[in-house]
Amino acid sequence: MIALVRLRLAGFLRTGRALAPALAGLLALGVLYGGGRAQPAEAYGVSAVVLFPVLAWQTKILLDVEPDVQRRLAQVVLGPARERAAGLLAAAVAALGTVAVALVLPWLVGGVAGPAAPGDRSVLAGVLLGFWAHLLALPGAVALGALASRAVTRTAGYGVAVLALGAVGVLVLGLSGSVVPWLVPPLLPAARALAGHLGPTTGLLLSGWAAAWSAVVLTGYAWARRSRA
Amino acid sequence: MRLEDVWLRYHRRGPWVLREIDVRIEPGEVAVVLGRNGVGKSTLLQLAAGVLRPSRGRVVERPPVVGWVPERFPADQPFTAGAYLAAMGRVAGLPGPAADRAVRRWVDRLGLGRFHDVRLPQLSKGTAQKVGLAQALLRPPGLLVLDEPWEGLDAAARDLVPEVIGEVLAGGGAVLVSDHRGETVRLPGARQWSVAGGTVTEQSPTGEPAVAVVELAVPAAAVAAAVARLRADGHHVLRVRDHPVPPPATRPGPPVDPSAPERPDPAAPEVTR
């Protein structure tokens, strides 16, 4: 299965189609950090929200770059479960690379600053919490991207619709006061928590929420792939 | 391996492509899947290979190692032929050195040596098809599924296909092969599955040995003597025709009549000389 993960990552990186989401991500982060310095945890919380659609789009491209017949060949060789797992794993590895860039970038462009006032979090705590916020976004974004992939949606139009619905849903349904916030991963609630005080209970609750949301969407992906070669 | 009461349709509420399929193939057997374009030959092969999941029914006792050669190899990939095959060998579970050895073996065997470092999109259709054949054989398959394997291959490679099938059978594997060009006359003794109207029927063996057609080029002055000798040896001379330029090689080619029926009757071959 690892060999297939490597093959798919190589295919994704060599076609050049990886460039579009990478540039979009850089642009979004550039806009985010262009406005001045912020505390790391707070900035990373917003960065995770911004990166969610980018990671989902990147996942869709990674899965779609492989021709359909090649995907079927991999399925014959490895079996359906491992073929699908390899695709998700390759997407997760690629997403981790993007997250690493997102964590480093603000330090390079001066978008974040160390603690300025008493009570501010340390730099290390800020970076760790930022990493956590991005990890909340990653599995949900991979799951959404997989659900939007050609193997499920078959046409470009449906694929874009699934991506757009997920990305807009995270923003709209994640607003404070939303009636059905649990319909989307808790990225805006996490960003709000990182701007203020984040207790361990809230952290655990948000982690469980993100994991459960991703599990539901991944189950939908696995179910949809059952009848589609 | 058995397909037990297998039904398949591509969409819910779509029409059934295949219905009530009950077929089995044992190790060491080869079955030829015959039928017109669009009747579901590829669908049947993909069900057997594990690409498609039956809408109803089940496929049981599928061997653990399956080699599938799709009708069209997906050449739109950013790898060289050699790198792709090595990667597919590793995906198939071969450790690095074993994968490299298997790739070298099949690259040499299929005459892909000079294309080893050529990128897949730059390969001709026939060469890409050979890469497709090679990837299915890197690990000796317990079931080899070939979808129109002769399509686009040159004469030398076409001859190799029955040879490869023979090796898989000798190794205890089963082979399923589809064909609409009459090439399967090269597989004497194969079972014949006929796909039509969404169902598969096995043509019962006639009891007579399979017949192959050989085209020969003979100097015009020696035709009468050659025909007499062939008849004396018990061969059935079907037709003698003119050929202005003798073919340069003696390799058998495919049946040349473009109006040949999709399902050739081995007892009624097209041309001989």
Side-chain angles (χ1 to χ4, degrees), chain A residues 29 33 44 47 51 98-107 112 126-127 130-132 134:
Chain A
L29 291 175
Y33 292 116
Y44 284 140
S47 157
L51 271 194
T98 306
V99 165
V101 170
L103 290 178
V104 172
L105 187 78
W107 298 99
V112 285
V127 170
F131 187 50
W132 168 78
H134 285 86

Side-chain angles (χ1 to χ4, degrees), chain B residues 245-262:
Chain B
V245 183
T250 54
R251 278 201 184 100
V256 293
D257 185 349
S259 65
E262 294 230 329

Side-chain angles (χ1 to χ4, degrees), chain A residues 4-83:
Chain A
L4 184 57
V5 171
R6 291 173 60 183
L7 182 70
R8 285 179 168 167
L9 279 171
F12 172 62
L13 294 173
R14 285 185 196 183
T15 51
R17 291 187 63 197
L19 273 176
L23 287 175
L26 284 175
L27 186 69
L29 291 175
V31 171
L32 174 66
Y33 292 116
R37 289 173 172 241
Q39 288 292 301
E42 187 179 353
Y44 284 140
V46 181
S47 157
V49 176
V50 166
L51 271 194
F52 179 79
V54 173
L55 296 179
W57 183 25
Q58 178 178 292
T59 298
K60 175 174 162 53
I61 287 182
L62 186 144
L63 295 177
D64 285 357
V65 95
E66 184 180 45
D68 290 343
V69 177
Q70 178 57 35
R71 185 177 64 244
R72 291 170 197 150
L73 278 171
Q75 181 177 326
V76 167
V77 174
L78 279 182
R82 286 193 293 168
E83 181 274 314

Side-chain angles (χ1 to χ4, degrees), chain A residues 121 129 132 193 197-208:
Chain A
R121 294 183 181 102
L129 284 170
W132 168 78
H197 174 73
L198 173 68
T201 315
T202 312
L204 279 175
L205 185 72
L206 293 173
S207 302

